[in-house]
Amino acid sequence: MVTLDEVLGSGLLQKPSGDAPEALQRQITNYKPLHTFKLEKTRPYQQQYADIYFLRLTKIRPAVEAAASAAWEGTVLGGEKVKRVERVLDVRQGELCWVAGTVYMDMPLKPSILEDVSKDRWISAPTSVGHYYSGNGEDSVMLEDDSGRIRLVGNALQNHFMVTGCIVAVMGTENANGEFEVIDLLFAELPPQPERWSLSKGKKEADSSEDVEMMDASFSGHPRKPSSKKIALVSGLEFSNADTSYAMELNLLLEYLLGEALDPSIQRDELSHITRLIIAGNSISTTAAEQAKPAAAFDTTTVTNKFQPQNKKYGYDSSSYNPVPSQLLDSFLSELLPTMPVTLLPGALDPANASYPQQPIHPAMFPQSRTYMPPPKAGAGKDRDVPGEEEPGWFDNVTNPWEGEIEGWRVLGTGGQNLDDVFKYVESEDRLGMMEAMCRWRCVAPTAPDTLWSYPFQEDEPFVIKECPHLFFVGCQPEFGTKVIHGPDGQAVRLIAVPSFSETREVVLVDTETLDVERVKIVAE
Amino acid sequence: MEDYKTYLAENILSEDKVVTYRLLSRALRVHPNVAKQMLYDFHKTQSSKKPGTVYATYLLYGIKKSVQNQNGNAMDIDLPSSLPDADPVDDEEVPSYTLVLVQEERLADVLKEYETISSIHVYSVGPHPAKDLTLLVDAAQSALAIKDDAKKPRPRTIVNSHVRRRERKGLGLKAAAPAKQESKTKAAPTKTAPAKPSPAPAPAAAPAKPQEESKSAAPAMEPEALTATTKKPAPSLKRNTSAASGIMQAFSKAASLPKKAKTSEKSTTAAEETPAALSDDGEDDDDVPLPKPGAVSTRKSKKEREEELRRMMEDDEDEDMEETADSPVPEEEEEEEPVVEEPPAKAEVAKEEEKEIVTTSGDGRRRGKRRVMKKKQIMDDQGYLVTIQEPAWESFSEDEAPPAAKPKPKVANSAPPAAAGKAKKPAPKGQGNIMSFFSKK
């Protein structure tokens, strides 16, 4: 416990000493974004969505089958040997076998386009229901592949998260009702993990800039690890002019990141070590009136819903456009950019496209911060598709989800829509568990395109995680959480659920050497 | 630096404003840490003189005492709170720091909640107790409004020497302007100068697009484009009425480019009367020489030009444009076809070489004779005033400056040099969009 007398008269609580301290240097980290989720500008939308499932199955099936045969080959249950069947429809009644396919969850609460059309219910704004999971037995799990689908039952299903789009291998037998009783269930598990520094020609030598600074200030009590470079993760800044309850905290956040706040010792030890800021979504929020609170107002069973804003034309109300939020974000960024590089992921509320994968927010939204971005390429739009070797901009606006390499660590991050959607399918509240499940399913957005709007990929499905990241963060979550998970081949992934700043006023700091996590909470009383 | 007291007194006491350390540091151009100390000092002296006039808010940073189970329990619905210290949401304990802004009245209480405090300083000083944070917010915002004086930048706490800003567009435009002048003067000569795949004729045939591009503000457009504006192909066809040809010319130009470059060929036959309004109207490129119709050059380049155009067109996605434009002039073209197909490549090649005769310069200047396309207006036998382009020789003398500014016209299909690329940046936009309207059909 600290008393007032202790702190007075020390540090900055004294007369100005008259000497102008010199500016500290901020360090830099190695940064290389990957363009895995960039889409072409002229992409067509004529294709069917079914190809996505096919691509996903083709990519993950070999891994799942390898794991399954390793686990189940030669198993004998009740005198019968387990056999592998090629297709879902080849399952015969009474025969013990295993098969791999895609899971499909049939839930009556899921928004279904067929229902909307058949009941002639055209709703211009997307409805958002809180939970698809009804828990009353109406939901059913099915296994599907190119040949057909079969319903899965069994207690073994309760132990695992299941959502539409994850690839599994199940072992069991078909019972009299034509349903497949599941005895055991397997996923593809974590994909192979690349080495650190696999992409950037790395600074393999130990950073000489790693300061081993221990406390020197008079009253800094707590022991701290040697400070190395840190990355700041924040999400849900939600600049708006309607809701100002956290405006002071936003200012404090800016000062904290800029390094203007706090003592010189803290500035030297901690703040100058923050080398990059990653904003994981929801930087701009709509005005409070239009903000659709999930599971609150929308009533899917009736046609009209009470909270529908007036004057909706083309699905949005143009008279309520307010430029102030993006201006606030722009001035925040332009203050911060001279000293710190920023990576900006769009989120559900940001002005980017609504379907997954969200493309980068256009530089036109940031008139002041635009100077820190690379200039538009001289060629026509097609040049943009080529992820050239040019340096990423100081202010890097990237896709959501996003993959990149920072200081040698492979990082995968999303703005939160994928996790929120998976959350609606399952009963549990364990978001970290769901993140872990997504890694083990090897799919970042398994529910796309079922309930998560997505682009109809034709040749390649980028949501499949080919190489296991070292760090997986998801933004705009209701609260902070972190965990390290391990894979069968020794992979280790640090999962971070980044809380929404507007709710919790927290920033997450990740150490770039050890991938340890700290959180800083900002309070203005 | 001693005037901070007067500054603060004035702002806080007289003007009734709240002053944060950021505002102070920007206004007085001092380091923020020094500003914090100033605030403290002022607050102290003022309070001792007349207590109750100024109120301060403090910024604390430290670790709160770990009684924070309310974080976890509030969220959880199912889990029983049997484990008070194990936070069910956090699977591991992470160090958690807190940054707090408190008013001075509450300072003592807040300090009690903290296990350790790493930093404390005065955040702001105001004339009234800061009950409402909006005042502070406004003060904080106003701090941002004070712009930096470039001559004497205020001290910053942390700087980053690696920051990359991109160049302003203004520079790009300036660079473009001189390039344009240059290109104008060197219109024809420069054609051959850059190692273009196709010689002058090819550029001549350059699609309307590049030509339009050159017209657009973007400077440094390929001089080739200028030369290329040889709509003679189209012109030859449309020589009926200038009015009608005006519009069709736009189409025919494009048309003439890719598939039916032969236009130039036909010029040989009917050529003379051609250009008429076509070459004149719309395009300001008087200096664009067209390969003289009837000359072997036209024939030779037809093939090449066609290729060029096709390539260029494909790049610009104007193929459709070509198509549509082509339709109006298909018949005429037909006859040309056979004639056109022939142009022996060899002839062209031969012709190419002699675009320019340069005598070696002794004193850093290039001198020599250059082949330029000159326009001539002749009164036709039918009474039409036609403009033909014919090559002529002119001598030139210029500095050794490498034609770097040569527009890397798409004609050339060569990677545009960076400088020109920047200048050219604004150019394609206008042209590309307009033409693409037609091309999509």
Side-chain angles (χ1 to χ4, degrees), chain A residues 158-210:
Chain A
Q158 316 296 344
N159 304 339
H160 303 265
F161 291 128
M162 305 274 271
V163 296
T164 302
C166 61
I167 315 284
V168 301
V170 289
M171 176 183 48
T173 180
E174 185 181 339
N175 62 11
N177 299 341
E179 299 160 348
F180 192 89
E181 265 197 47
V182 177
I183 301 172
D184 196 10
L185 188 69
L186 267 192
F187 299 118
E189 282 302 319
L190 297 179
Q193 193 173 53
E195 289 278 324
R196 195 181 165 186
W197 298 113
S198 64
L199 279 187
S200 359
K201 333 335 181 223
K203 312 240 183 78
K204 295 262 195 322
E205 87 282 8
D207 298 282
S208 49
S209 52
E210 193 171 317

Short mmCIF file of all heavy atoms in Angstrom, two decimals, chain A residues 158-210:
data_model
loop_
_atom_site.label_atom_id
_atom_site.label_comp_id
_atom_site.label_asym_id
_atom_site.label_seq_id
_atom_site.Cartn_x
_atom_site.Cartn_y
_atom_site.Cartn_z
N GLN A 158 -20.94 -34.64 -27.26
CA GLN A 158 -21.06 -33.55 -26.29
C GLN A 158 -19.72 -33.03 -25.85
O GLN A 158 -19.62 -31.91 -25.37
CB GLN A 158 -21.81 -34.03 -25.04
CG GLN A 158 -23.02 -34.86 -25.30
CD GLN A 158 -24.08 -34.07 -26.03
OE1 GLN A 158 -24.01 -32.86 -26.09
NE2 GLN A 158 -25.03 -34.77 -26.61
N ASN A 159 -18.72 -33.84 -25.99
CA ASN A 159 -17.43 -33.42 -25.44
C ASN A 159 -16.68 -32.45 -26.32
O ASN A 159 -15.66 -31.91 -25.92
CB ASN A 159 -16.52 -34.64 -25.24
CG ASN A 159 -17.20 -35.66 -24.37
OD1 ASN A 159 -18.11 -35.34 -23.63
ND2 ASN A 159 -16.76 -36.91 -24.49
N HIS A 160 -17.14 -32.29 -27.53
CA HIS A 160 -16.38 -31.45 -28.44
C HIS A 160 -17.26 -30.32 -28.96
O HIS A 160 -18.47 -30.46 -29.05
CB HIS A 160 -15.92 -32.25 -29.65
CG HIS A 160 -15.12 -33.44 -29.29
ND1 HIS A 160 -13.75 -33.44 -29.27
CD2 HIS A 160 -15.49 -34.68 -28.95
CE1 HIS A 160 -13.33 -34.62 -28.93
NE2 HIS A 160 -14.36 -35.40 -28.73
N PHE A 161 -16.60 -29.24 -29.31
CA PHE A 161 -17.30 -28.18 -30.03
C PHE A 161 -17.52 -28.64 -31.46
O PHE A 161 -16.64 -29.20 -32.07
CB PHE A 161 -16.45 -26.91 -30.09
CG PHE A 161 -16.28 -26.23 -28.80
CD1 PHE A 161 -15.03 -25.92 -28.34
CD2 PHE A 161 -17.37 -25.90 -28.02
CE1 PHE A 161 -14.85 -25.28 -27.14
CE2 PHE A 161 -17.20 -25.26 -26.82
CZ PHE A 161 -15.94 -24.95 -26.37
N MET A 162 -18.70 -28.40 -31.96
CA MET A 162 -18.95 -28.72 -33.35
C MET A 162 -19.68 -27.56 -33.99
O MET A 162 -20.67 -27.08 -33.46
CB MET A 162 -19.88 -29.95 -33.45
CG MET A 162 -19.37 -31.13 -32.71
SD MET A 162 -18.26 -32.04 -33.78
CE MET A 162 -19.44 -33.10 -34.54
N VAL A 163 -19.17 -27.16 -35.11
CA VAL A 163 -19.88 -26.13 -35.87
C VAL A 163 -19.89 -26.54 -37.32
O VAL A 163 -19.09 -27.37 -37.74
CB VAL A 163 -19.22 -24.74 -35.76
CG1 VAL A 163 -19.27 -24.24 -34.36
CG2 VAL A 163 -17.83 -24.79 -36.27
N THR A 164 -20.77 -25.93 -38.06
CA THR A 164 -20.81 -26.22 -39.49
C THR A 164 -19.48 -25.85 -40.11
O THR A 164 -18.96 -24.77 -39.89
CB THR A 164 -21.89 -25.37 -40.15
OG1 THR A 164 -23.12 -25.67 -39.53
CG2 THR A 164 -21.97 -25.66 -41.61
N GLY A 165 -18.94 -26.77 -40.87
CA GLY A 165 -17.74 -26.42 -41.61
C GLY A 165 -16.47 -27.01 -41.06
O GLY A 165 -15.43 -26.91 -41.70
N CYS A 166 -16.52 -27.61 -39.91
CA CYS A 166 -15.27 -28.22 -39.44
C CYS A 166 -15.18 -29.65 -39.97
O CYS A 166 -16.18 -30.31 -40.16
CB CYS A 166 -15.16 -28.17 -37.92
SG CYS A 166 -16.43 -29.05 -37.01
N ILE A 167 -13.97 -30.06 -40.22
CA ILE A 167 -13.76 -31.37 -40.84
C ILE A 167 -13.40 -32.36 -39.73
O ILE A 167 -12.48 -32.14 -38.97
CB ILE A 167 -12.60 -31.31 -41.84
CG1 ILE A 167 -12.73 -30.07 -42.72
CG2 ILE A 167 -12.53 -32.57 -42.65
CD1 ILE A 167 -13.75 -30.16 -43.77
N VAL A 168 -14.13 -33.44 -39.68
CA VAL A 168 -13.89 -34.43 -38.62
C VAL A 168 -13.84 -35.82 -39.21
O VAL A 168 -14.30 -36.08 -40.32
CB VAL A 168 -15.00 -34.42 -37.56
CG1 VAL A 168 -15.13 -33.07 -36.93
CG2 VAL A 168 -16.32 -34.82 -38.17
N ALA A 169 -13.29 -36.71 -38.41
CA ALA A 169 -13.38 -38.14 -38.72
C ALA A 169 -14.11 -38.79 -37.56
O ALA A 169 -13.77 -38.57 -36.39
CB ALA A 169 -11.99 -38.75 -38.87
N VAL A 170 -15.13 -39.56 -37.87
CA VAL A 170 -15.91 -40.20 -36.82
C VAL A 170 -15.84 -41.71 -36.99
O VAL A 170 -15.81 -42.22 -38.10
CB VAL A 170 -17.40 -39.77 -36.87
CG1 VAL A 170 -17.53 -38.34 -36.44
CG2 VAL A 170 -17.97 -39.95 -38.24
N MET A 171 -15.85 -42.34 -35.83
CA MET A 171 -15.87 -43.78 -35.86
C MET A 171 -17.14 -44.25 -35.18
O MET A 171 -17.48 -43.77 -34.10
CB MET A 171 -14.67 -44.37 -35.13
CG MET A 171 -14.78 -45.87 -35.11
SD MET A 171 -13.56 -46.80 -34.26
CE MET A 171 -13.38 -46.05 -32.72
N GLY A 172 -17.79 -45.18 -35.79
CA GLY A 172 -19.01 -45.68 -35.17
C GLY A 172 -19.72 -46.59 -36.14
O GLY A 172 -19.13 -47.15 -37.06
N THR A 173 -21.02 -46.68 -35.90
CA THR A 173 -21.78 -47.57 -36.75
C THR A 173 -23.16 -47.00 -36.99
O THR A 173 -23.64 -46.16 -36.22
CB THR A 173 -21.87 -48.96 -36.10
OG1 THR A 173 -22.61 -49.81 -36.95
CG2 THR A 173 -22.59 -48.86 -34.76
N GLU A 174 -23.78 -47.49 -38.01
CA GLU A 174 -25.12 -46.98 -38.31
C GLU A 174 -26.14 -47.81 -37.56
O GLU A 174 -26.10 -49.04 -37.56
CB GLU A 174 -25.37 -47.09 -39.82
CG GLU A 174 -26.69 -46.45 -40.21
CD GLU A 174 -26.94 -46.57 -41.70
OE1 GLU A 174 -25.94 -46.76 -42.44
OE2 GLU A 174 -28.10 -46.50 -42.12
N ASN A 175 -27.07 -47.12 -36.94
CA ASN A 175 -28.05 -47.87 -36.17
C ASN A 175 -29.33 -48.05 -36.98
O ASN A 175 -29.39 -47.74 -38.16
CB ASN A 175 -28.32 -47.17 -34.84
CG ASN A 175 -28.91 -45.78 -35.05
OD1 ASN A 175 -29.30 -45.42 -36.16
ND2 ASN A 175 -28.97 -45.01 -33.99
N ALA A 176 -30.31 -48.53 -36.28
CA ALA A 176 -31.53 -48.90 -37.00
C ALA A 176 -32.26 -47.71 -37.59
O ALA A 176 -32.97 -47.82 -38.58
CB ALA A 176 -32.47 -49.67 -36.07
N ASN A 177 -32.10 -46.56 -36.99
CA ASN A 177 -32.81 -45.39 -37.50
C ASN A 177 -32.12 -44.75 -38.69
O ASN A 177 -32.58 -43.72 -39.17
CB ASN A 177 -32.90 -44.32 -36.40
CG ASN A 177 -33.67 -44.83 -35.20
OD1 ASN A 177 -34.41 -45.78 -35.31
ND2 ASN A 177 -33.48 -44.17 -34.08
N GLY A 178 -31.02 -45.29 -39.09
CA GLY A 178 -30.29 -44.66 -40.17
C GLY A 178 -29.36 -43.56 -39.69
O GLY A 178 -28.80 -42.83 -40.50
N GLU A 179 -29.21 -43.47 -38.40
CA GLU A 179 -28.29 -42.46 -37.89
C GLU A 179 -26.98 -43.11 -37.53
O GLU A 179 -26.91 -44.28 -37.22
CB GLU A 179 -28.86 -41.79 -36.65
CG GLU A 179 -30.17 -41.09 -36.91
CD GLU A 179 -30.93 -40.86 -35.62
OE1 GLU A 179 -30.52 -41.46 -34.60
OE2 GLU A 179 -31.92 -40.13 -35.64
N PHE A 180 -25.96 -42.31 -37.55
CA PHE A 180 -24.63 -42.82 -37.27
C PHE A 180 -24.33 -42.58 -35.81
O PHE A 180 -24.28 -41.45 -35.35
CB PHE A 180 -23.63 -42.07 -38.15
CG PHE A 180 -22.26 -42.68 -38.19
CD1 PHE A 180 -21.96 -43.66 -39.12
CD2 PHE A 180 -21.29 -42.28 -37.30
CE1 PHE A 180 -20.71 -44.21 -39.18
CE2 PHE A 180 -20.03 -42.84 -37.35
CZ PHE A 180 -19.74 -43.81 -38.29
N GLU A 181 -24.14 -43.68 -35.10
CA GLU A 181 -23.80 -43.51 -33.69
C GLU A 181 -22.30 -43.37 -33.53
O GLU A 181 -21.54 -44.24 -33.96
CB GLU A 181 -24.27 -44.73 -32.91
CG GLU A 181 -25.63 -44.51 -32.31
CD GLU A 181 -25.88 -45.52 -31.22
OE1 GLU A 181 -24.99 -45.73 -30.39
OE2 GLU A 181 -26.97 -46.12 -31.27
N VAL A 182 -21.94 -42.32 -32.91
CA VAL A 182 -20.51 -41.98 -32.86
C VAL A 182 -19.90 -42.53 -31.59
O VAL A 182 -20.42 -42.34 -30.51
CB VAL A 182 -20.35 -40.45 -32.88
CG1 VAL A 182 -18.90 -40.08 -32.74
CG2 VAL A 182 -20.91 -39.89 -34.16
N ILE A 183 -18.80 -43.22 -31.80
CA ILE A 183 -18.08 -43.73 -30.64
C ILE A 183 -16.87 -42.85 -30.37
O ILE A 183 -16.51 -42.59 -29.22
CB ILE A 183 -17.63 -45.18 -30.90
CG1 ILE A 183 -18.86 -46.02 -31.17
CG2 ILE A 183 -16.85 -45.71 -29.72
CD1 ILE A 183 -18.56 -47.40 -31.62
N ASP A 184 -16.26 -42.39 -31.44
CA ASP A 184 -15.09 -41.56 -31.23
C ASP A 184 -14.99 -40.53 -32.35
O ASP A 184 -15.50 -40.73 -33.45
CB ASP A 184 -13.82 -42.43 -31.18
CG ASP A 184 -12.66 -41.66 -30.58
OD1 ASP A 184 -12.88 -40.55 -30.04
OD2 ASP A 184 -11.53 -42.16 -30.66
N LEU A 185 -14.28 -39.47 -32.06
CA LEU A 185 -14.28 -38.31 -32.94
C LEU A 185 -12.88 -37.74 -33.00
O LEU A 185 -12.21 -37.62 -31.98
CB LEU A 185 -15.23 -37.28 -32.32
CG LEU A 185 -15.61 -36.05 -33.06
CD1 LEU A 185 -16.48 -36.42 -34.20
CD2 LEU A 185 -16.40 -35.17 -32.14
N LEU A 186 -12.44 -37.37 -34.17
CA LEU A 186 -11.09 -36.81 -34.26
C LEU A 186 -11.06 -35.62 -35.19
O LEU A 186 -11.76 -35.59 -36.20
CB LEU A 186 -10.13 -37.85 -34.85
CG LEU A 186 -9.35 -38.74 -33.90
CD1 LEU A 186 -8.27 -39.44 -34.68
CD2 LEU A 186 -8.69 -37.92 -32.80
N PHE A 187 -10.18 -34.65 -34.86
CA PHE A 187 -9.97 -33.51 -35.74
C PHE A 187 -8.60 -33.60 -36.38
O PHE A 187 -7.81 -34.47 -36.05
CB PHE A 187 -10.06 -32.20 -34.97
CG PHE A 187 -11.38 -31.99 -34.31
CD1 PHE A 187 -11.48 -31.89 -32.95
CD2 PHE A 187 -12.53 -31.88 -35.07
CE1 PHE A 187 -12.69 -31.69 -32.34
CE2 PHE A 187 -13.74 -31.69 -34.47
CZ PHE A 187 -13.83 -31.59 -33.10
N ALA A 188 -8.34 -32.62 -37.22
CA ALA A 188 -7.06 -32.64 -37.91
C ALA A 188 -5.92 -32.20 -37.01
O ALA A 188 -4.76 -32.43 -37.32
CB ALA A 188 -7.12 -31.71 -39.11
N GLU A 189 -6.21 -31.56 -35.93
CA GLU A 189 -5.18 -31.06 -35.03
C GLU A 189 -4.37 -29.95 -35.66
O GLU A 189 -4.54 -29.61 -36.83
CB GLU A 189 -4.26 -32.19 -34.54
CG GLU A 189 -4.90 -33.01 -33.46
CD GLU A 189 -5.31 -32.19 -32.25
OE1 GLU A 189 -4.54 -31.30 -31.86
OE2 GLU A 189 -6.39 -32.43 -31.70
N LEU A 190 -3.43 -29.45 -34.91
CA LEU A 190 -2.70 -28.27 -35.36
C LEU A 190 -1.84 -28.60 -36.57
O LEU A 190 -1.20 -29.64 -36.60
CB LEU A 190 -1.80 -27.74 -34.24
CG LEU A 190 -2.52 -27.25 -32.98
CD1 LEU A 190 -1.50 -26.78 -31.97
CD2 LEU A 190 -3.47 -26.13 -33.33
N PRO A 191 -1.82 -27.70 -37.50
CA PRO A 191 -0.98 -27.95 -38.68
C PRO A 191 0.49 -27.76 -38.33
O PRO A 191 0.81 -27.25 -37.26
CB PRO A 191 -1.44 -26.86 -39.67
CG PRO A 191 -2.01 -25.80 -38.82
CD PRO A 191 -2.58 -26.46 -37.61
N PRO A 192 1.35 -28.12 -39.23
CA PRO A 192 2.78 -27.97 -38.93
C PRO A 192 3.12 -26.50 -38.72
O PRO A 192 2.59 -25.61 -39.38
CB PRO A 192 3.48 -28.51 -40.19
CG PRO A 192 2.43 -28.66 -41.19
CD PRO A 192 1.13 -28.80 -40.49
N GLN A 193 3.99 -26.28 -37.80
CA GLN A 193 4.32 -24.90 -37.43
C GLN A 193 5.68 -24.56 -37.99
O GLN A 193 6.64 -25.30 -37.81
CB GLN A 193 4.35 -24.79 -35.91
CG GLN A 193 4.38 -23.36 -35.43
CD GLN A 193 4.23 -23.29 -33.93
OE1 GLN A 193 4.98 -23.94 -33.21
NE2 GLN A 193 3.29 -22.53 -33.45
N PRO A 194 5.77 -23.43 -38.66
CA PRO A 194 7.09 -23.07 -39.18
C PRO A 194 8.01 -22.59 -38.07
O PRO A 194 7.56 -22.23 -36.99
CB PRO A 194 6.77 -21.91 -40.14
CG PRO A 194 5.52 -21.33 -39.61
CD PRO A 194 4.75 -22.44 -38.97
N GLU A 195 9.25 -22.56 -38.38
CA GLU A 195 10.22 -22.07 -37.42
C GLU A 195 10.07 -20.59 -37.25
O GLU A 195 9.55 -19.90 -38.13
CB GLU A 195 11.64 -22.33 -37.97
CG GLU A 195 12.04 -23.77 -37.97
CD GLU A 195 12.53 -24.16 -36.60
OE1 GLU A 195 13.18 -23.32 -35.94
OE2 GLU A 195 12.25 -25.27 -36.19
N ARG A 196 10.58 -20.09 -36.20
CA ARG A 196 10.59 -18.65 -36.05
C ARG A 196 11.52 -18.08 -37.10
O ARG A 196 12.51 -18.69 -37.46
CB ARG A 196 11.12 -18.29 -34.65
CG ARG A 196 10.81 -16.86 -34.34
CD ARG A 196 11.31 -16.46 -33.00
NE ARG A 196 11.29 -15.00 -32.93
CZ ARG A 196 11.78 -14.28 -31.95
NH1 ARG A 196 12.34 -14.90 -30.94
NH2 ARG A 196 11.71 -12.98 -31.95
N TRP A 197 11.20 -16.91 -37.61
CA TRP A 197 12.03 -16.26 -38.63
C TRP A 197 12.02 -17.03 -39.95
O TRP A 197 12.94 -16.93 -40.73
CB TRP A 197 13.49 -16.13 -38.21
CG TRP A 197 13.71 -15.30 -37.01
CD1 TRP A 197 14.16 -15.72 -35.81
CD2 TRP A 197 13.50 -13.90 -36.87
NE1 TRP A 197 14.24 -14.69 -34.93
CE2 TRP A 197 13.82 -13.54 -35.57
CE3 TRP A 197 13.04 -12.89 -37.74
CZ2 TRP A 197 13.71 -12.25 -35.10
CZ3 TRP A 197 12.94 -11.60 -37.26
CH2 TRP A 197 13.27 -11.30 -35.95
N SER A 198 10.95 -17.77 -40.19
CA SER A 198 10.99 -18.52 -41.43
C SER A 198 10.77 -17.63 -42.63
O SER A 198 11.22 -17.94 -43.71
CB SER A 198 9.93 -19.61 -41.42
OG SER A 198 8.65 -19.01 -41.37
N LEU A 199 10.07 -16.54 -42.44
CA LEU A 199 9.76 -15.71 -43.61
C LEU A 199 10.71 -14.55 -43.79
O LEU A 199 11.17 -14.28 -44.87
CB LEU A 199 8.34 -15.15 -43.50
CG LEU A 199 7.26 -16.12 -43.91
CD1 LEU A 199 5.95 -15.40 -43.91
CD2 LEU A 199 7.53 -16.66 -45.29
N SER A 200 10.96 -13.83 -42.71
CA SER A 200 11.87 -12.70 -42.87
C SER A 200 13.28 -13.20 -42.69
O SER A 200 13.56 -14.00 -41.82
CB SER A 200 11.58 -11.61 -41.85
OG SER A 200 10.52 -11.95 -41.04
N LYS A 201 14.17 -12.66 -43.51
CA LYS A 201 15.57 -13.05 -43.30
C LYS A 201 15.92 -12.40 -42.00
O LYS A 201 16.07 -11.22 -41.90
CB LYS A 201 16.51 -12.48 -44.33
CG LYS A 201 16.10 -12.13 -45.69
CD LYS A 201 14.97 -12.76 -46.35
CE LYS A 201 14.84 -12.21 -47.73
NZ LYS A 201 13.78 -11.86 -48.35
N GLY A 202 16.05 -13.24 -41.05
CA GLY A 202 15.88 -12.70 -39.72
C GLY A 202 17.06 -12.09 -39.07
O GLY A 202 18.16 -12.20 -39.49
N LYS A 203 16.73 -11.44 -38.01
CA LYS A 203 17.79 -10.98 -37.14
C LYS A 203 18.04 -12.16 -36.22
O LYS A 203 17.50 -12.24 -35.13
CB LYS A 203 17.31 -9.80 -36.32
CG LYS A 203 16.63 -8.77 -37.17
CD LYS A 203 17.36 -7.50 -37.05
CE LYS A 203 16.70 -6.41 -37.80
NZ LYS A 203 15.58 -5.88 -37.13
N LYS A 204 18.80 -13.06 -36.69
CA LYS A 204 18.95 -14.24 -35.89
C LYS A 204 19.82 -13.96 -34.67
O LYS A 204 19.72 -14.59 -33.65
CB LYS A 204 19.59 -15.37 -36.70
CG LYS A 204 18.76 -15.84 -37.84
CD LYS A 204 17.99 -17.08 -37.44
CE LYS A 204 17.39 -17.87 -38.56
NZ LYS A 204 16.84 -17.39 -39.66
N GLU A 205 20.65 -12.98 -34.81
CA GLU A 205 21.51 -12.70 -33.66
C GLU A 205 20.67 -12.08 -32.58
O GLU A 205 19.71 -11.39 -32.84
CB GLU A 205 22.66 -11.77 -34.05
CG GLU A 205 22.36 -10.30 -33.97
CD GLU A 205 21.54 -9.83 -35.15
OE1 GLU A 205 21.12 -10.68 -35.92
OE2 GLU A 205 21.33 -8.64 -35.28
N ALA A 206 21.01 -12.33 -31.39
CA ALA A 206 20.24 -11.80 -30.27
C ALA A 206 20.22 -10.30 -30.37
O ALA A 206 21.21 -9.67 -30.68
CB ALA A 206 20.87 -12.24 -28.95
N ASP A 207 19.05 -9.76 -30.14
CA ASP A 207 18.94 -8.31 -30.28
C ASP A 207 19.80 -7.64 -29.25
O ASP A 207 19.62 -7.81 -28.07
CB ASP A 207 17.49 -7.88 -30.04
CG ASP A 207 16.60 -8.51 -31.07
OD1 ASP A 207 16.59 -8.01 -32.19
OD2 ASP A 207 15.99 -9.51 -30.73
N SER A 208 20.69 -6.89 -29.75
CA SER A 208 21.52 -6.18 -28.79
C SER A 208 20.73 -5.07 -28.15
O SER A 208 21.11 -4.51 -27.14
CB SER A 208 22.74 -5.60 -29.47
OG SER A 208 22.33 -4.91 -30.63
N SER A 209 19.63 -4.76 -28.76
CA SER A 209 18.85 -3.66 -28.20
C SER A 209 17.99 -4.11 -27.04
O SER A 209 17.26 -3.35 -26.48
CB SER A 209 17.96 -3.06 -29.28
OG SER A 209 17.23 -4.10 -29.88
N GLU A 210 18.07 -5.35 -26.74
CA GLU A 210 17.24 -5.81 -25.64
C GLU A 210 17.82 -5.27 -24.35
O GLU A 210 18.87 -5.68 -23.89
CB GLU A 210 17.25 -7.33 -25.63
CG GLU A 210 16.18 -7.90 -24.74
CD GLU A 210 16.11 -9.40 -24.93
OE1 GLU A 210 16.15 -9.83 -26.09
OE2 GLU A 210 16.04 -10.11 -23.94
#
